[in-house]
Amino acid sequence: MKKLFYLLPMLLFGLFAIAQQRNITGTVVSKQNRTPLPGVTVQAGNRNTITNGSGQFTLPAAVGEVLNFSYIGMKPMSLKAAEGNMSVEMEDNATDLNQVIVTGYQTQKKADLTGAVSVVNVSEIKDIPLGNPVKALQGRVPGVFITSNGDPNSNATVRIRGIGTLGNNDPLYVIDGIPTKRGLQELNQNDIESIQVLKDASAATIYGSRAANGVIIVTTKRAKKGYSRITADVSASLQDYSTKLKTLNTEGRGRAYWQAAVNDRTDPNNNQIYQYDWNGDYNNPVLNKINLPEFIDAAKTMKPADTYWYDQIAQTSLLQTYNVSIANGNERGNSYFSVGMYNNKGIVKETQQRKITARFNTDYSFFKGRLKIGENLSATYIRDALVPATDILFAALVQQPVVPVHTVDGGWGGPAPGMTDRQNPVRLIEDNRQNKSNFLRLFGNVYADIEIIPNLHFKSSYGIDYNGTYQRTLRKSYTSGFLSDPSNFSQTSQDYNGNWVWQNTLTYNVALQKHRFDFLLGEEQIKYMAQNFYASRQGYALENIDYAYLNAGSSNKDNGGTGSGYTLLSYFGKANYSYDNKYLASVTLRRDGSSRFGKENRFGMFPAVSLGWRVSEENFIKQNLPFLSDLKLRYGWGRSGNQEIANNATYTLYSAIYGIDPTWDFDSGSAYDLGGAGSGQLSSGYTLIQQGNPALKWESTMESNAGIDFGLFNNHLSGSVDYFIKKTSDILISPAYLAVIGEGGTKFVNGASMQNKGLEVLLSYNGNIAPGLALTVTGNVATYRNKITKLPPEVLTSYPGNGQDKTILGHSINSTFGYVADGLFRSQKEVDDYATQIGKGVGRIRYKDLNSDGVIDDKDRDYIGKGDPDFTYGLNVTLEYKHFDLTFFLQGIQGIQVYNTYKTYTDFSSIWPGTNWGARTLDAWTPQNPNASIPALTLVDRNNENRTSTYFLESGSYLKLRNLQLGYSFQHLFSKRLQTARVYLQGSNLLTLKNKGFTATDPENPNNAYPIPVIGTIGLNLSF
């Protein structure tokens, strides 16, 4: 009776709960790409179900009851059951060891990886509007160093584990299995499903011939079975300068010139622009007033102005992105179609890129899934403005402020007497705005995969990567100050290049009790070609791009064209072995043949081996260290190749050259223009232009990598540590040659060696720090050291050093060789007591006498800096609470020295006396300003202060807030047909912290490249 008394309330409570239960329905999708997730386990109490092929589930539960969702590769999550159709978004779990990784012609579970492979969380970069997915990777992958600028049509420079060769250091990109060296700038960021970076040779050797600089593997999106979705992503951004270099205004430029002349004890009024009212006392000079003429030119067309040229060329511009995709999957096949538009107008006027991308990925199954046929095809059209941005930015820096943009009659202002021949940057913009470049790229493959017997697959793939560029440009006649060109010129050019790739692979997977084997055999053929053509004329009656076709030109007809090509043939094999999920091994062998080498050395062998031990799977770990979720030790060794030389490098080349250019190429011709026509049938011999080297062989990189992967507390805390040694030998170079050899001394040789050592660390945390508040933090740090270990004696002078007792050997390839600037001479006694230094004087830079011989000369040069950072780092933080998400990403570089070329113009009046100077010159040394660090102004560089020295070396360390995003998901406010609805605000490059010793605007961009803008974005993600 007592037992019944106690059980009765429990029974009544259970009956009440059952009465409150109803069928809770919902759909589970991936938060990363909004695809449905079939097979997700949904649990409430002791009741559970799994989602169907469309990600849908039905489960009896009470409203408000907690539902638990779990799925391999996704972070587990809990939600309260709600009325109506629930929309559940599961996040990728980068720490999940069952995650499938693409590693080269095949896939592996993350737990089985033995090489150095980094996986990018694509969802973190999807909405960053940079136009090139690679730019968004900066700082996110340890060991991957990326540099770029803000030009709308600029590419990114990617270095994986430092500079590994003296030639091309670009990595190999593999997009849906098709290798390319072009990068990702023509790929729609929204089409990317996953990105993996193969960093060490044991992982990358499977790609052999072009893998020495690392491999970046990209897989694009596909539809899945039972999945139907329309997705739209829209964003609009405003972008502007973060900061502008401070140059002198008209009065400041006049004051600086007066100070320089007074320091030289010359009459400051001895110039064509400024006149000065001053006391005439060189010992105690006092400037009363600066007088400007009514006109600065003799023709009286240009009145004095006060032009800040950076404001004249800059604009706050609009950046827009639009993407629409349609995906549909069923029992027999899947299709994915997308269209994207990217329009970036740039922060320099008339610089612009318009990009349209289209993608069509399909696959179809036959014979109960044993045969799969599919294709991946993308087309990209890019229209770039051909405005000379580099020249415009340089002219904005150096053109004097007294020059007006326009003359009094509406013409172009320009340099006046006494100024250097620098263009009006606004004229460069306006006179080139009609010039455009049209680029089209077709990329993709078709493939068939047949299962011959269970687990034995044969796959054949034929891919193409072709692109072409068409340009028609018009150079207008102009008068701009004393610069004038009455001629006009139009040119039409076309280039067409690319390659086809045919791949055939055989894979077999087998499991025998605790043993598991994966085998791969493959063959690959690549044929590359390139052609270009141009034609030009002058003498156009109308300077209008719609008129200035070639036939309309009347004079100076010219044309030309070239072509080249090469082929590759490769055989490769790989075997992966796993015992009891504890002991792992992988062996790779690739044999590559390239037409760029002679018959004797055409083929190269590239082996690799790697081992792994999952220590956490051992019983003694499971029993004694239960908090240790994962611990894997791995080691890899491999050799990869490089064939980046000219297609005809092995051959001796001769060319029939007219040689009629008397200015730049007067002595290279082998013909005589007796008639003076500059064209026609000239009797011509042949000029030797290259010496052949049939003994050329493959450059090779040997790399060892030791790594640790770990996870703690159910993988809430995880990370990896890698240490590598990378040695490159037989580096392909074209060394300088002695002048006595004469013409045709150019020759390619295998003649250098290099070494990189480095350490990479990745640490990540993900979990709930409060009820409903999820935190994900991922940080990384990486460092490497580079040195040249071998160079031929004849090439030493081509690199920093004196070629004798001080050579680049043992130093980084990024070393700077020059003088040590030891402050300024601040008194005549310091000048008199110091070593012999031509041009020394009070207020001048003092250079150290490194060899203590009492004379400052080229023997006092030494290695004064390096362009390699001490370390690079990145930190990504994501907070999620209910329907809100907040993400910020910090990226930085520490301990790097940059050569600040801006200082040539900002700190000196003598190096470029006819240009404008920086505002810093007003703080230069004078007797009244004796503690200044900027040398005294002068009009003549007697001290040769433009020499390479530590004066121009500055700290390039920085910390940048690369990205800050706040989002809100509101699909719960609408019907169940709306699968995703999210709005976000985002800022890019919002904050830069730099060393106080850096005197220019951006240490990431110290050499007058296109400024990196600040970008503010509002965006919308929808899917139905």
Side-chain angles (χ1 to χ4, degrees):
M1 232 8 228
K2 286 185 178 180
K3 289 183 179 180
L4 181 62
F5 178 78
Y6 287 120
L7 288 174
L8 186 60
M10 298 177 63
L11 180 62
L12 292 175
F13 179 79
L15 292 173
F16 177 79
I18 292 173
Q20 297 299 312
Q21 286 181 5
R22 62 186 68 186
N23 283 335
I24 302 298
T25 62
T27 303
V28 184
V29 300
S30 166
K31 186 174 183 179
Q32 177 187 6
N33 51 38
R34 315 303 177 188
T35 59
L37 296 177
V40 176
T41 299
V42 186
Q43 186 174 16
N46 59 358
R47 306 175 304 283
N48 62 75
T49 186
I50 61 173
T51 58
N52 63 15
S54 300
Q56 299 171 344
F57 70 90
T58 301
L59 182 69
V63 174
E65 189 175 0
V66 175
L67 305 182
N68 297 305
F69 299 84
S70 59
Y71 186 69
I72 292 176
M74 296 288 173
K75 295 178 182 178
M77 63 182 302
S78 300
L79 291 175
K80 290 183 179 180
E83 295 182 359
N85 191 63
M86 296 180 64
S87 180
V88 182
E89 296 179 351
M90 299 190 73
E91 279 192 83
D92 285 357
N93 186 358
T95 63
D96 183 25
L97 302 178
N98 291 307
Q99 184 180 5
V100 177
I101 307 298
V102 180
T103 56
Y105 305 100
Q106 59 181 169
T107 59
Q108 286 182 273
K109 289 196 304 181
K110 189 174 182 180
D112 295 337
L113 293 178
T114 52
V117 180
S118 289
V119 181
V120 177
N121 188 345
V122 177
S123 63
E124 295 176 354
I125 66 171
K126 184 178 74 72
D127 296 320
I128 301 177
L130 298 180
N132 184 343
V134 167
K135 291 183 179 181
L137 296 182
Q138 187 174 18
R140 296 181 184 272
V141 181
V144 179
F145 185 50
I146 299 171
T147 56
S148 63
N149 60 51
D151 196 330
N153 58 12
S154 69
N155 297 329
T157 299
V158 180
R159 298 292 176 258
I160 298 177
R161 293 186 164 180
I163 292 178
T165 181
L166 300 179
N168 189 324
N169 280 271
D170 295 337
L172 176 68
Y173 298 85
V174 180
I175 304 173
D176 291 327
I178 305 302
T180 179
K181 297 286 281 190
R182 283 195 60 87
L184 304 181
Q185 57 269 18
E186 286 107 29
L187 187 65
N188 185 345
Q189 200 159 289
N190 281 61
D191 286 338
I192 296 176
E193 177 78 23
S194 66
I195 299 177
Q196 283 81 234
V197 183
L198 312 185
K199 295 187 290 188
D200 75 326
S202 68
T205 293
I206 190 65
Y207 289 106
S209 61
R210 295 184 284 179
N213 299 315
V215 180
I216 297 178
I217 298 179
V218 177
T219 304
T220 59
K221 294 178 180 178
R222 312 188 68 81
K224 298 178 181 179
K225 177 183 175 182
Y227 173 70
S228 180
R229 182 67 53 86
I230 299 175
T231 301
D233 299 289
V234 181
S235 71
S237 309
L238 290 177
Q239 53 183 351
D240 204 349
Y241 270 74
S242 59
T243 183
K244 298 172 183 173
L245 196 69
K246 295 180 180 179
T247 54
L248 293 171
N249 61 14
T250 297
E251 182 180 357
R253 176 59 167 74
R255 182 175 292 273
Y257 181 90
W258 171 81
Q259 186 65 64
V262 168
N263 290 344
D264 291 344
R265 293 183 173 269
T266 61
D267 184 2
N269 287 310
N270 188 21
N271 76 88
Q272 291 115 317
I273 303 294
Y274 296 95
Q275 294 296 300
Y276 301 97
D277 177 5
W278 70 298
N279 64 355
D281 185 352
Y282 290 101
N283 295 319
N284 296 289
V286 176
L287 177 62
N288 299 317
K289 186 180 180 182
I290 300 175
N291 297 309
L292 294 171
E294 183 180 1
F295 295 93
I296 63 173
D297 62 328
K300 297 185 178 181
T301 64
M302 294 187 292
K303 290 188 174 182
D306 191 11
T307 308
Y308 182 48
W309 291 101
Y310 279 118
D311 280 350
Q312 295 297 322
I313 68 169
Q315 64 178 1
T316 299
S317 68
L318 182 64
L319 189 160
Q320 303 168 78
T321 63
Y322 304 93
N323 295 282
V324 176
S325 66
I326 302 173
N328 186 54
N330 54 45
E331 295 290 336
R332 297 294 300 273
N334 308 296
S335 64
Y336 174 87
F337 175 73
S338 74
V339 176
M341 193 276 281
Y342 173 84
N343 188 0
N344 183 351
K345 293 187 176 180
I347 60 173
V348 174
K349 292 178 180 177
E350 297 303 327
T351 58
Q352 184 179 20
Q353 180 178 89
R354 294 179 181 177
K355 178 167 63 177
I356 299 174
T357 60
R359 173 167 293 278
F360 190 45
N361 291 351
T362 63
D363 61 79
Y364 298 95
S365 297
F366 302 91
F367 308 117
K368 297 181 179 181
R370 291 183 59 189
L371 174 64
K372 179 179 288 188
I373 297 175
E375 56 80 28
N376 307 283
L377 180 64
S378 68
T380 303
Y381 171 74
I382 298 177
R383 185 174 174 87
D384 284 327
L386 294 181
V387 177
T390 300
D391 294 339
I392 292 166
L393 289 161
F394 179 69
L397 170 66
V398 300
Q399 186 60 267
Q400 293 199 28
V402 74
V403 175
V405 175
H406 294 285
T407 60
V408 292
D409 59 357
W412 292 114
M419 302 180 186
T420 51
D421 57 346
R422 298 297 179 258
Q423 294 283 359
N424 178 335
V426 180
R427 185 197 74 79
L428 291 176
I429 292 173
E430 293 300 320
D431 280 1
N432 287 279
R433 63 188 305 171
Q434 74 282 346
N435 297 328
K436 309 291 182 183
S437 170
N438 299 276
F439 171 89
L440 178 64
R441 184 187 186 190
L442 296 177
F443 183 94
N445 70 322
V446 293
Y447 65 89
D449 186 320
I450 184 169
E451 187 178 37
I452 301 172
I453 60 175
N455 299 323
L456 177 63
H457 286 259
F458 173 75
K459 181 178 181 180
S460 185
S461 168
Y462 185 86
I464 60 168
D465 181 9
Y466 286 109
N467 64 82
T469 303
Y470 172 79
Q471 299 178 358
R472 192 166 62 83
T473 60
L474 171 64
R475 189 196 70 204
K476 297 181 178 181
S477 61
Y478 69 90
T479 297
S480 176
F482 63 68
L483 295 175
S484 178
D485 187 349
S487 68
N488 51 37
F489 173 88
S490 180
Q491 177 171 289
T492 299
S493 64
Q494 290 178 290
D495 69 67
Y496 167 66
N497 61 74
N499 61 274
W500 56 257
V501 184
W502 188 20
Q503 300 169 338
N504 296 283
T505 59
L506 194 65
T507 59
Y508 182 61
N509 307 323
V510 60
L512 301 172
Q513 295 180 347
K514 295 184 178 181
H515 304 272
R516 190 173 70 250
F517 298 89
D518 298 330
F519 299 101
L520 166 71
L521 288 176
E523 177 259 359
E524 182 177 78
Q525 301 175 42
I526 300 176
K527 186 172 183 178
Y528 177 88
M529 58 80 65
Q531 297 179 6
N532 68 77
F533 165 81
Y534 74 90
S536 64
R537 290 190 184 184
Q538 290 183 268
Y540 290 88
L542 296 175
E543 293 184 341
N544 186 304
I545 193 67
D546 294 326
Y547 168 80
Y549 288 91
L550 290 175
N551 279 352
S554 60
S555 63
N556 292 340
K557 302 176 183 179
D558 191 19
N559 59 71
T562 61
S564 65
Y566 69 89
T567 58
L568 288 166
L569 175 62
S570 306
Y571 305 96
F572 51 89
K574 186 174 184 179
N576 300 319
Y577 170 72
S578 171
Y579 176 74
D580 199 20
N581 291 322
K582 298 178 185 179
Y583 311 111
L584 312 169
S586 179
V587 178
T588 304
L589 181 63
R590 179 160 179 141
R591 177 176 168 84
D592 277 321
S594 171
S595 63
R596 288 177 170 175
F597 300 105
K599 293 182 179 179
E600 296 180 1
N601 298 304
R602 182 153 292 168
F603 281 87
M605 297 289 288
F606 305 106
V609 61
S610 58
L611 302 171
W613 177 25
R614 295 192 64 199
V615 184
S616 54
E617 293 301 298
E618 300 288 355
N619 289 330
F620 67 87
I621 294 292
K622 293 181 177 180
Q623 294 172 3
N624 300 314
L625 300 172
F627 64 89
L628 191 62
S629 312
D630 177 53
L631 178 62
K632 180 169 62 178
L633 307 180
R634 48 186 169 79
Y635 173 79
W637 174 92
R639 186 186 298 273
S640 51
N642 187 4
Q643 50 114 37
E644 294 300 323
I645 52 173
N647 295 332
N648 51 18
T650 59
Y651 300 103
T652 298
L653 302 179
Y654 296 86
S655 180
I657 304 173
Y658 276 0
I660 57 175
D661 185 343
T663 304
W664 306 109
D665 204 16
F666 66 93
D667 62 350
S668 66
S670 54
Y672 295 92
D673 186 17
L674 298 177
S679 62
Q681 300 295 323
L682 304 184
S683 299
S684 178
Y686 290 91
T687 300
L688 177 66
I689 59 175
Q690 176 179 288
Q691 296 183 16
N693 183 3
L696 277 177
K697 59 183 179 181
W698 286 84
E699 176 182 319
S700 66
T701 298
M702 183 175 66
E703 185 172 6
S704 299
N705 188 98
I708 302 174
D709 299 327
F710 61 88
L712 305 174
F713 311 112
N714 199 26
N715 282 327
H716 285 298
L717 182 66
S718 61
S720 64
V721 180
D722 282 272
Y723 175 76
F724 67 89
I725 301 177
K726 184 177 180 181
K727 297 180 180 180
T728 306
S729 58
D730 296 321
I731 294 177
L732 296 161
I733 59 174
S734 179
Y737 58 92
L738 297 175
V740 294
I741 295 177
E743 65 185 23
T746 300
K747 182 179 181 180
F748 286 92
V749 299
N750 295 98
S753 299
M754 181 184 294
Q755 175 182 280
N756 284 332
K757 292 182 179 181
L759 182 70
E760 300 160 358
V761 179
L762 176 71
L763 189 63
S764 179
Y765 170 81
N766 69 86
N768 292 328
I769 57 175
L773 179 61
L775 170 67
T776 301
V777 180
T778 302
N780 71 82
V781 62
T783 181
Y784 75 93
R785 297 293 180 265
N786 169 274
K787 68 177 179 180
I788 302 291
T789 56
K790 177 187 174 184
L791 276 177
E794 64 269 21
V795 80
L796 288 174
T797 54
S798 298
Y799 297 91
N802 60 17
Q804 299 171 8
D805 60 320
K806 297 176 181 178
T807 69
I808 193 68
L809 293 176
H811 295 276
S812 168
I813 188 60
N814 294 318
S815 297
T816 303
F817 187 77
Y819 296 85
V820 177
D822 189 24
L824 306 180
F825 292 106
R826 301 189 183 277
S827 69
Q828 189 60 46
K829 186 176 186 307
E830 289 185 10
V831 175
D832 296 338
D833 292 344
Y834 198 61
T836 300
Q837 177 180 313
I838 298 175
K840 66 179 180 179
V842 178
R844 304 264 53 86
I845 297 177
R846 177 175 55 206
Y847 298 99
K848 278 191 175 182
D849 183 10
L850 297 182
N851 63 353
S852 302
D853 65 354
V855 178
I856 306 300
D857 56 20
D858 60 0
K859 296 178 183 178
D860 294 299
R861 294 178 300 164
D862 207 344
Y863 290 94
I864 56 177
K866 62 179 180 64
D868 301 322
D870 289 343
F871 60 89
T872 61
Y873 58 96
L875 178 67
N876 194 83
V877 178
T878 300
L879 287 165
E880 296 182 359
Y881 181 71
K882 293 185 178 179
H883 302 293
F884 290 92
D885 59 89
L886 174 68
T887 299
F888 66 87
F889 175 61
L890 299 168
Q891 179 264 330
I893 295 176
Q894 185 63 39
I896 191 172
Q897 292 176 303
V898 296
Y899 201 83
N900 183 5
T901 58
Y902 281 111
K903 273 189 148 180
T904 303
Y905 307 95
T906 62
D907 288 27
F908 298 90
S909 58
S910 56
I911 296 175
W912 293 95
T915 68
N916 194 18
W917 307 317
R920 284 168 51 83
T921 55
L922 296 180
D923 194 35
W925 186 94
T926 64
Q928 295 76 30
N929 187 24
N931 296 319
S933 60
I934 300 172
L937 301 183
T938 178
L939 299 176
V940 181
D941 184 20
R942 298 180 179 88
N943 198 34
N944 187 21
E945 291 173 343
N946 196 29
R947 70 182 81 181
T948 302
S949 75
T950 56
Y951 186 84
F952 297 94
L953 279 176
E954 296 181 338
S955 171
S957 301
Y958 66 81
L959 171 62
K960 290 196 173 189
L961 179 56
R962 286 287 182 191
N963 190 54
L964 176 64
Q965 185 182 104
L966 175 63
Y968 178 71
S969 298
F970 56 93
Q971 64 268 22
H972 61 284
L973 302 177
F974 296 89
S975 68
K976 62 181 180 180
R977 292 184 178 274
L978 193 61
Q979 300 293 336
T980 304
R982 178 175 176 268
V983 63
Y984 63 90
L985 294 173
Q986 182 172 253
S988 300
N989 297 314
L990 296 179
L991 176 67
T992 299
L993 301 178
K994 61 182 181 180
N995 191 288
K996 292 181 179 179
F998 184 76
T999 60
T1001 54
D1002 188 350
E1004 188 182 3
N1005 181 12
N1007 296 310
N1008 202 43
Y1010 198 111
I1012 299 172
V1014 173
I1015 305 175
T1017 303
I1018 182 170
L1020 178 66
N1021 308 129
L1022 295 174
S1023 65
F1024 306 88

